[in-house]
Each structure stands twice: as structure tokens, then as C-alpha cells.
Amino acid sequence: MTHATDAELLEWALLQEEPDAPQPPHLKECPPCAARYEAVLAEQELLRRAFVPAAQAPRRKAGWAAAAALLLGALAGAVIARATVPPRASALSLARVEGELRRIPAEIESLRDAEPSRLENEYPRVLSKAEGLYADFLSLYLDGASPLSDAQRAEIRQAVDTLYSRVWEEEDVEKLAGQFRGALQTALNADQFEAFQAQVLREKESEWAAEIDIVIDDLAEALNLRFSEEERVRDVLKARYPKTDLPMLTLAQWPPDRLAGDLGLASIVRGTLEAGYHAGYDAYLQSLRDGHRRVEKVARAMAPGLGR
Amino acid sequence: MEAVREESAEVLARKYFRRVYGFCRALLGRDADAEDACQNVFLTVARRREELLEIRQPVPWLLQIARLTCLNLRRERDRLRPAGLERDESADPGPPLPPTENIDRLRTVIERLPERYRSVLVLHFQQGLSHAETAQVLGLSRGALRVLLHRAVARLRQEARTS
């Protein structure tokens, strides 16, 4: 039997992830060549590792804040930037609300590892502020479609307050979204409600994509993932990551927590990662769960007091 | 791959910054240079935003811009240094490097490889691009890309053994 040359083994290894990769039967029939081929694959792994440190971007100064900024940016910024704001809405006021919303993440970031007492004091205040800003945003936006009465503004605020006070208690987020939508439908006239529906629909896809970006970013940073791994995880998340019927709910939740809370999704992502990442991934999920429980405890205790 | 259509230059920067940065860092070898390169890449993207409508594969397109940006920066940096001649590579790459090979030493060897070899290795091993995508970035046919990749690994093996 003629053994494979080094050139052939290298060629097969370099092609192995290509759609038209050859399946050389020789490797099945020749244990020495199969062993040499394994050595080439091991060398490829070595080369991938050699590039890992160079692949690291400067560490984000405020991971949580940056991530939340993406969400908030998608919430407020996108609406303003796309020139889809109803003509009567005051762009200046919307810009002000956006500016304040953008400052929220920095406050949340500062609480992530805070002492328990500070977390208990500050988190409800920040969440309440975010909630107020969302209500302001919604009022300004809808007022542009058709002027709101004072009573309608109060009802919007009440609906947002109820939404945020229940987000930690109600596990069925779709039900919560439906209730919120129902409350707004009762409070708003047809034009206003149509504007709300259109706004939510428009933001739904971008919010979902922004959440996936956040999950990937966080995971990549935690596990020091190679880019090819990131892309594999991204594909899985695009296929499996749930779409929330009301994207604003994510203001109160940290997207990677969804990964930790969804055993099926967490397991599929784990299966996508190479075995060398598994221990780190498990520890990452555990840290997410711990963090989630910590904030959840505070949020549940304070839920009735949230809002203005 | 999804179309870029709706993605603004800002969204691209947000989404692919780490990836482009990693690529530039691997080609240029220094954080400061990689940061300069990234800034130039996304400025170029912003200037060429009308092309976004036609781009279906943002990653190869971005890395193509990144590679040219890095080449320009490197050329500027090495202006006074004469370009080294590339050796004629033999077809036989020799056996693979052992798993005990020192990673830091390997990185030094990679740093010293000619730019085209380093580029193709980064695109393949770091960025995880397919051969078709890598060929697109480097402006080669798939056949030429395979030859280049093969030669790059062969040259890397030779340099690692002799350094």
C-alpha cells in the first residue's frame, strides 16, 4: 500500500471544513496515515490557538453598559434616526429622552458587582427611571400620531408601571406582552394604537438581532472564543433564540440570562462549542444564573414599589 | 449569508469591530496599529456606504478593506525597509509541527512570514472563513487560494523548524 504524502495530508486537512471536502478512503484503510492525519489536525488546532491572543479586541470598559446601550439605542435611537417619527412628535424631546436612556446603562453597569445593600437601594431606582423614560418615550411617540389627552398619558404610565413591576414575576412573557398591548389598546384611539403596533413591529427584528449580538459578545468575551466559534454560535442562536412579542421587556432583563434560563438553548449552544470550551461555558452559565438570582431577588422584593 | 441592505456603517462597525480588529492585529502585530487600521477601515466603510446596498457578504468585504488598509499602514511603516524576496517553496511541506511546539515562538515565526502568507493564515485559522470567502478577500481564484494556503503552511513549518 502506498502511503499518503505530507502534501496530501495537509491538503485534506485544509479542505476538511469545505462543502466539497474529499473523504479519502485511504485514511480508513491505513492506520499509520490516519495517525499522521490526526497530527496534521492537531497542528491546525495549534495554529488556531496561536492566533487567539491577537484576536482579542481591547476589553470593553463596561460590557453591561455597552450591551444595554445597544438595546436602548435600538429602542430610541433607531426610531429617531429612521425618520419614521410621526411628524407631530417633538424630535427635540425624543432626543432628550434618548439621551437620558443612554445614561441608564452606565448606572446599571455600576451596580453589577455592587454590595448587596447598594444593589437593593439603587437597582429599583434605576429600573424605575428606565421605566419612566420608556413611558415618556411612548407618550412622545404616540402623541405624534394623534395628540394624547392627560388621561391617556396617565394610562400609558400605568401600563408601563404594571409591565415592569410584573416582568420578574410572570414567567410567560408573551402573556405579559399581551396584557400590556391590551391595556394600551383600551387607552389609545385607533390611530395611536396603530402607531404603537407599527413601532413594536418595526423594532422587533432589530431588538432580536441586538440581543443576539449581546449574547455573542458576552459569551465570546467570557470564553475567549475564536471568531469561527462565534459564528457557529450565532447561527445556532439565529435559529433558536426566542423572539419576544414586546421587545421593551428586555430593558429589565439581561439577554444572556435567557441563555442561562433556557436549558434547551443552553444545551444546543454547548453542543456547538468545542469540548475545550465546555468547562468555561458551564462556569459562565452558572455565573449568569447567580447574577440573575441576585438581581431578581431585589427586583421581586421591590416590584410593588416600582414606578413613580 | 444575509444581505447588508439595512445595515448602516455604524451597525457594521458595532457588529464586526472585534472581528476586524483581530484581523488587523494579526496582520500588523501591534495594538496601536490595529486600532489605527480599524478606525480607517470603518471610515472607509462610511465613505463607501452606497456599496452596502450591493454587498451580500459583509465579512469578506470588510476584511478586504481591512487588508488593504493594513497593507497601506504597513507600507508606510516599513517604507525604508527593502522588501524581502520570497523563497521558492517546494511542493513537499514536510511533517506537521508537533503539538508541543511553543505557541509564543510560533507567533514570532508567523509575524515574520511574508504578508500574503500571513494574510491567508489569519483568514483561515483566525477568522475561520471558507476558501471561497478567503479567495474573495485576497482577490484569488479558489484554486490559487488552495495553493497559497498550502504554501503558507509549508513555509510556516520550514521557518518553525529552522528558527
Side-chain angles (χ1 to χ4, degrees):
Chain A
M1 182 187 288
T2 307
H3 291 300
T5 63
D6 287 326
E8 284 170 332
L9 291 172
L10 176 59
E11 186 71 10
W12 294 337
L14 291 173
L15 282 168
Q16 63 163 338
E17 289 177 8
E18 291 295 295
D20 54 353
Q23 304 288 331
H26 177 71
L27 292 178
K28 287 183 182 164
E29 298 158 3
C30 179
C33 284
R36 287 169 59 221
Y37 183 64
E38 285 300 315
V40 179
L41 294 182
E43 180 194 50
Q44 300 218 332
E45 195 48 46
L46 182 74
L47 290 175
R48 288 192 183 95
R49 288 212 312 277
F51 283 110
V52 167
Q56 297 309 298
R59 192 174 172 78
R60 286 169 294 163
K61 286 176 186 163
W64 223 32
L70 292 182
L71 287 175
L72 295 170
L75 162 67
V79 174
I80 294 168
R82 285 181 197 175
T84 52
V85 182
R88 291 174 61 101
S90 160
L92 192 63
S93 299
L94 276 173
R96 179 186 61 76
V97 172
E98 183 195 20
E100 288 189 40
L101 277 169
R102 284 189 183 281
R103 282 193 284 278
I104 291 282
E107 296 184 48
I108 294 173
E109 168 69 13
S110 72
L111 295 176
R112 192 180 184 187
D113 301 316
E115 291 296 316
S117 58
R118 186 164 165 246
L119 178 65
E120 284 170 20
N121 287 332
E122 294 292 303
Y123 180 75
R125 183 188 65 76
V126 175
L127 192 57
S128 175
K129 187 172 165 185
E131 174 195 312
L133 288 169
Y134 176 45
D136 286 348
F137 167 78
L138 211 50
S139 292
L140 282 165
Y141 185 83
L142 297 176
D143 197 45
S146 168
L148 293 167
S149 67
D150 288 343
Q152 283 179 314
R153 286 178 206 282
E155 286 184 75
I156 289 172
R157 200 157 292 282
Q158 181 61 43
V160 174
D161 181 25
T162 305
L163 173 75
Y164 279 90
S165 64
R166 295 195 56 209
V167 74
W168 288 93
E169 294 172 331
E170 178 58 72
E171 290 187 359
D172 185 348
V173 290
E174 297 308 325
K175 183 178 164 191
L176 201 54
Q179 288 170 343
F180 180 65
R181 186 171 274 114
L184 285 190
Q185 192 164 16
T186 306
L188 302 175
N189 67 30
D191 288 345
Q192 292 158 348
F193 188 67
E194 191 182 336
F196 165 74
Q197 293 276 61
Q199 193 268 337
V200 168
L201 193 64
R202 201 161 41 235
E203 297 311 312
K204 194 170 170 177
E205 287 295 322
S206 61
E207 288 287 327
W208 177 77
E211 281 195 40
I212 289 178
D213 283 346
I214 290 167
V215 174
I216 302 264
D217 255 11
D218 202 53
L219 188 62
E221 188 171 305
L223 301 189
N224 201 10
L225 288 182
R226 290 197 308 270
F227 292 123
S228 55
E229 291 280 335
E230 276 186 52
E231 289 303 298
R232 286 217 295 273
V233 174
R234 189 183 298 281
D235 288 343
V236 167
L237 289 179
K238 277 183 176 172
R240 302 295 296 259
Y241 193 82
K243 278 187 182 160
T244 309
D245 202 29
L246 190 65
M248 305 319 149
L249 287 171
T250 56
L251 273 176
Q253 304 266 0
W254 175 227
D257 284 352
R258 290 232 229 171
L259 187 62
D262 185 335
L263 290 179
L265 183 61
S267 165
I268 291 169
V269 171
R270 192 177 194 273
T272 307
L273 296 169
E274 286 180 6
Y277 289 112
H278 287 177
Y281 179 70
D282 294 342
Y284 168 72
L285 287 185
Q286 191 54 50
S287 74
L288 284 178
R289 288 184 189 117
D290 290 345
H292 185 76
R293 269 197 290 272
R294 201 160 169 257
V295 179
E296 185 182 28
K297 189 178 162 191
V298 175
R300 280 180 188 276
M302 304 302 289
L306 290 175
R308 295 178 166 183
Chain B
M1 188 78 73
E2 68 196 71
V4 175
R5 293 178 198 289
E6 298 294 329
E7 302 198 63
S8 67
E10 190 184 335
V11 172
L12 279 181
R14 192 178 73 192
K15 203 169 187 177
Y16 297 113
F17 174 81
R18 289 182 74 247
R19 188 162 190 161
V20 171
Y21 180 88
F23 179 68
C24 295
R25 175 68 177 73
L27 287 193
L28 296 170
R30 291 197 309 214
D31 286 327
D33 289 344
E35 282 165 20
D36 287 349
C38 265
Q39 191 179 355
N40 289 348
V41 168
F42 288 108
L43 280 174
T44 303
V45 170
R47 277 199 298 268
R48 292 167 59 176
R49 61 196 320 145
E50 72 283 357
E51 288 180 38
L52 294 177
L53 292 170
E54 306 299 326
I55 302 293
R56 291 202 63 81
Q57 293 187 306
V59 172
W61 184 71
L62 277 174
L63 295 182
Q64 203 170 25
I65 294 173
R67 178 168 175 266
L68 292 176
T69 304
C70 289
L71 284 178
N72 285 337
L73 275 178
R74 207 175 170 105
R75 202 170 294 138
E76 221 167 87
R77 207 173 71 184
D78 301 342
R79 198 181 294 163
L80 299 176
R81 193 185 302 169
L85 292 175
E86 293 192 10
R87 284 187 215 160
D88 186 22
E89 315 298 342
S90 75
D92 181 11
L97 299 171
T100 51
E101 177 70 41
N102 181 289
I103 290 269
D104 289 333
R105 202 176 72 89
L106 193 55
R107 287 182 188 130
T108 309
V109 172
I110 292 167
E111 276 278 310
R112 289 203 301 257
L113 289 176
E115 184 278 326
R116 276 178 85 72
Y117 289 164
R118 204 166 52 247
S119 288
V120 77
L121 291 173
V122 173
L123 292 167
H124 184 79
F125 290 108
Q126 182 202 75
Q127 299 283 319
L129 296 194
S130 69
H131 284 199
E133 290 169 330
T134 307
Q136 187 186 333
V137 174
L138 296 175
L140 299 171
S141 67
R142 278 191 69 188
L145 180 272
R146 279 168 64 170
V147 172
L148 181 66
L149 186 55
H150 191 101
R151 286 184 175 176
V153 177
R155 175 71 173 267
L156 177 64
R157 287 178 179 178
Q158 286 171 10
E159 296 286 339
R161 286 198 189 91
T162 55
S163 66

